[in-house]
Amino acid sequence: MRSLHRRTRLVVASLCGAVVLAAGPTAADGEPGDGADSGLSTQVARLYEDAAVATQRYETGRREAEAKQGEVRRLEALLGRERGEIAVLREDLGRIARAQYRGGGGLPVVAQMLLAGDPDRLMRGQHLFSQANLALDNAMDKSRRAEARLAADEAKAVEAWQVVERRNVELAALKKDIEDKLDQARWQLQGQADASVAAGACRGAVRLDQPSTQVVGEWVTPVETYTLSAGFGSGGERWVNRHTGQDFAVPIGTPVRAVGAGRVVRVSCGGAFGIEIVLQHADGYYTQYAHLAAVTVDQGDSVTAGQWIGQSGTSGNSTGPHLHFEVRVTPQLGSGIDPVPWLAARGVPVA
């Protein structure tokens, strides 16, 4: 599932446009975003939250289903034992009947009593009769109780399986419905991004509600969950020289975070990088976030570590949804250094 709280299993062949195939991205002053843009970005962000909740419910339901399956397996084991006990009881009934027949020489017990020649023999016959009836009644009663338990436990096992199946179907349907809506909204958002890139002009920042979770530490990864794809210095036919950043494969619309506190020095929507943001940090380094689908900051804004500054996409020179992240010593392309050890040195391992 593509979700904010779970690593995506989609390995995207995402090659960023961090190469001088054309002039550098055209800077464009942000214009106020229209209501449709803002609504769509907000919708995508909200659907990500809904998808995260649905995934959590699905995982909880899956664990409950596994527990229920364990209960069903215990019931099935109990049913097996009960069936064995009933087979033994039925064998006991047969044994008692055969013993009565053999003890009476083929005559019923009542007939033996009537043919008794003296009181002692009559009393012994009556005692035998009572004992035989008692044993038979007990065996039959025990067998009936066991069969009743078996029927009840079989019904319980069937009901338990039905609960598991209904729960799984409901959760899967809920999860798929949200994922379908999210996927549709993602590509609508990307369509707006492509229109901005084609026009070479940004639509302006879309203000999103920031996440309620507090970031611990001064530095974070640019996206919360990800799969690493093209790394710094790697080669490829889409780059004239070498790859100048680290790619994080994430679905369109994934919230992109400022890795540290800083100031927005560039918001651009044209060229190979598509929609991009460049931040300046207090230690003199710059970080770039490219191929975005939307931005949530304007040039000149101050940002904090972990603040949402945009939404990932596949704008510009990109073959699939991902975030292209660079660390530079100047704001310009060509001064990049490997982002992975740079983040690691600040207590943020990337793996």
Side-chain angles (χ1 to χ4, degrees):
M1 164 182 179
R2 289 181 244 176
S3 165
L4 182 59
H5 300 283
R6 185 176 180 181
R7 290 189 182 276
T8 176
R9 299 179 183 277
L10 176 63
V11 179
V12 183
S14 51
L15 307 174
C16 80
V19 55
V20 188
L21 297 178
T26 304
D29 294 333
E31 300 172 357
D34 58 37
D37 296 343
S38 176
L40 187 55
S41 288
T42 301
Q43 180 188 3
V44 170
R46 186 178 298 114
L47 283 169
Y48 262 106
E49 294 176 359
D50 292 345
V53 172
T55 299
Q56 186 177 31
R57 288 181 62 188
Y58 181 81
E59 292 301 318
T60 300
R62 184 181 56 80
R63 289 191 293 270
E64 290 174 352
E66 289 175 353
K68 185 65 71 175
Q69 287 169 350
E71 178 185 336
V72 170
R73 284 191 290 269
R74 288 191 295 273
L75 282 172
E76 288 177 339
L78 174 62
L79 290 175
R81 291 194 298 271
E82 289 176 347
R83 291 186 184 104
E85 291 172 0
I86 288 174
V88 170
L89 289 172
R90 287 173 176 166
E91 178 61 29
D92 287 344
L93 287 173
R95 180 179 51 78
I96 292 170
R98 290 192 298 271
Q100 284 185 341
Y101 181 81
R102 286 194 301 270
L107 291 175
V109 176
V110 174
Q112 294 181 52
M113 292 174 62
L114 292 175
L115 295 175
D118 56 67
D120 287 340
R121 188 176 177 185
L122 178 62
M123 292 301 294
R124 284 197 302 272
Q126 185 178 7
H127 178 70
L128 288 172
F129 179 73
S130 299
Q131 288 294 100
N133 271 350
L134 181 61
L136 186 60
D137 289 344
N138 286 342
M140 292 181 67
D141 186 55
K142 190 173 182 181
S143 178
R144 280 194 295 267
R145 289 198 306 270
E147 289 179 354
R149 282 198 309 273
L150 176 62
D153 288 339
E154 284 177 336
K156 197 179 297 183
V158 170
E159 182 183 0
W161 272 119
Q162 289 174 344
V163 168
V164 170
E165 291 174 355
R166 283 197 303 269
R167 179 69 171 166
N168 284 343
V169 168
E170 290 170 359
L171 290 171
L174 173 66
K175 183 167 171 282
K176 185 178 185 307
D177 180 60
I178 293 175
E179 287 177 344
D180 288 346
K181 290 178 181 176
L182 178 56
D183 192 55
Q184 181 180 7
R186 281 172 179 154
W187 287 107
Q188 289 177 348
L189 184 65
Q190 182 61 44
Q192 291 182 349
D194 292 340
S196 293
V197 172
C202 295
R203 294 175 179 269
V206 175
R207 303 301 180 180
L208 298 178
D209 293 335
Q210 293 297 311
S212 57
T213 54
Q214 297 298 318
V215 172
V216 177
E218 296 181 0
W219 301 91
V220 297
T221 53
V223 285
E224 187 173 353
T225 59
Y226 53 85
T227 296
L228 293 179
S229 49
F232 180 81
S234 58
E237 62 182 13
R238 297 185 65 83
W239 308 307
V240 171
N241 295 307
R242 292 286 178 175
H243 192 230
T244 55
Q246 175 63 57
D247 285 354
F248 295 80
V250 289
I252 294 169
T254 300
V256 174
R257 311 186 294 185
V259 296
R263 185 173 63 89
V264 181
V265 296
R266 182 180 179 84
V267 175
S268 174
C269 296
F273 285 117
I275 299 177
E276 64 160 333
I277 298 170
V278 177
L279 304 182
Q280 181 182 20
H281 302 282
D283 58 3
Y285 286 97
Y286 297 81
T287 54
Q288 181 213 29
Y289 312 77
H291 305 311
L292 302 176
V295 296
T296 63
V297 290
D298 285 317
Q299 191 163 308
D301 286 353
S302 294
V303 297
T304 58
Q307 178 179 332
W308 288 356
I309 60 173
Q311 292 170 294
S312 66
T314 182
S315 59
N317 185 21
S318 169
T319 59
H322 72 287
L323 170 70
H324 173 76
F325 174 71
E326 283 194 25
V327 176
R328 300 172 176 172
V329 296
T330 72
Q332 284 75 37
L333 174 67
S335 63
I337 60 174
D338 192 340
V340 173
W342 186 86
L343 286 170
R346 286 156 179 75
V348 183
V350 175

